[in-house]
Amino acid sequence: MMPVERLRAYLELARPANVVTAFADVLAGFAAAGAFLLGFETPYGGDLFYLLAATGGLYAGGVVFNDVFDAPLDARERPERPIPSGRIPQMHAAVYGSVLLAIGLAAALAVGLIPFMVALAIAIGALTYDAAGKHHALLGPINMGACRGANLLLGASVLPGMLYEIWYIGLIPVAYIGAVTAISRGEVHGGSRGTGTLAVCLAAVVTGGLLLLGLRLDYRTLHALPFLAIFGSLVFPPFVQAAARPSPDHIRKAVRTGVLALVAMDATLAAGFAGWAAGLTVLLLLPVSLGMAKLFAVT
């Protein structure tokens, strides 16, 4: 295999488009903690760089191990993927994933003990999902959602004291990723209308949760609303379509859009807690993620 082809295979294994959405989580948590308003010229700007490196390593490492554990199944259902196609040996992929997770943990530790503990929880949660959690209809979506919620709190951990005040924002990704994970179960063979309807309901709960944050005196609802509208316009059409006609194509579209729409959800949080500029900063990651999604698979 040519070096360029090998590099592409390793990038494909790490799901670059998805990693960009993980950056959005950290930026949203950073904004929710109030660090965005303090300015990037403060020491928190440097900490943000390490936290972005941490989430990149953790997310990429997690999805690499997802393919490592799924190699036998992918050999039957998705033989074009890097491991079953023979482009990357399974053992090499395991080493690759381990290095990525180690980078993520080391970068979090560079910020402090609390960020490291959050990062460790994400790593353990991701490996638990990859190895066993995904096979449970109820626990699987909760497991994956908890990883995303912790990733959001990883950004907030730049100011550890804020974790005790805004911990509940981590529940929003739990519900949303629960919806995406639930609907994704029909990607290969098709799903059920019941699962699709559940996903639509959970997305509605997430939208309601983002609106309820307006009960906080420091949450700028008017700033958040345009970003929430973008989120809704991205998520609900494919989710409703997948619920009405749960074919593999409709479900794959819903899952792909659902993952990428995380950026808009995070932009809503960032705008609410830190204003327009924070929301736009996060939303700028959406075209980056969409561009990556044209080059590399999302699911």
Side-chain angles (χ1 to χ4, degrees):
M1 184 186 301
M2 298 292 291
V4 174
E5 295 173 342
R6 187 176 297 276
L7 175 61
R8 178 179 174 79
Y10 276 99
L11 286 174
E12 184 180 335
L13 202 59
R15 311 281 206 287
N18 304 44
V19 172
V20 174
T21 70
F23 292 156
D25 290 342
V26 166
L27 285 171
F30 187 81
F36 190 97
L37 295 174
L38 295 176
F40 294 102
E41 67 278 4
T42 66
Y44 299 118
D47 289 341
L48 176 61
F49 170 81
Y50 282 110
L51 291 176
L52 290 172
T55 194
L58 293 169
Y59 194 100
V63 294
V64 167
F65 269 106
N66 180 71
D67 279 20
V68 170
F69 284 108
D70 274 0
L73 179 63
D74 286 343
R76 298 192 302 272
E77 297 184 345
R78 297 175 179 180
E80 74 282 357
R81 284 188 167 180
I83 296 175
S85 66
R87 287 177 290 155
I88 299 177
Q90 188 173 2
M91 183 57 68
H92 290 190
V95 172
Y96 177 43
S98 299
V99 170
L100 287 169
L101 289 176
I103 290 172
L105 292 171
L109 184 59
V111 180
L113 182 59
I114 297 299
F116 173 76
M117 295 302 293
V118 176
L120 183 61
I122 295 171
I124 293 173
L127 291 174
T128 300
Y129 177 81
D130 293 338
K134 71 176 72 173
H135 304 298
H136 294 268
L138 177 61
L139 295 180
I142 294 174
N143 186 170
M144 179 52 67
C147 289
R148 272 290 184 170
N151 198 46
L152 181 63
L153 296 179
L154 179 64
S157 70
V158 69
L159 290 169
M162 288 299 295
L163 288 177
Y164 302 101
E165 183 176 337
I166 60 171
W167 63 269
Y168 52 84
I169 66 171
L171 298 177
I172 294 174
V174 173
Y176 182 64
I177 293 300
V180 176
T181 305
I183 205 171
S184 71
R185 296 184 181 279
E187 277 189 88
V188 177
H189 304 294
S192 67
R193 290 187 177 182
T195 301
T197 301
L198 173 62
V200 172
C201 291
L202 287 173
V205 168
V206 169
T207 302
L210 290 168
L211 287 171
L212 284 174
L213 286 173
L215 296 175
R216 288 181 58 104
L217 296 178
D218 60 346
Y219 191 80
R220 302 165 174 82
T221 302
L222 290 179
H223 290 199
L225 282 177
F227 299 95
L228 182 59
I230 294 172
F231 170 72
S233 67
L234 288 172
V235 169
F236 284 105
F239 273 36
V240 170
Q241 186 178 48
R245 299 176 60 191
S247 67
D249 285 343
H250 287 152
I251 289 175
R252 277 192 291 270
K253 181 180 178 181
V255 173
R256 179 181 181 276
T257 304
V259 171
L260 300 180
L262 276 160
V263 176
M265 186 193 77
D266 287 330
T268 303
L269 283 168
F273 280 103
W276 300 104
L280 287 172
T281 298
V282 177
L283 193 64
L284 286 174
L285 292 176
L286 183 57
V288 177
S289 187
L290 289 170
M292 289 286 190
K294 293 179 180 179
L295 300 173
F296 302 98
V298 173
T299 63

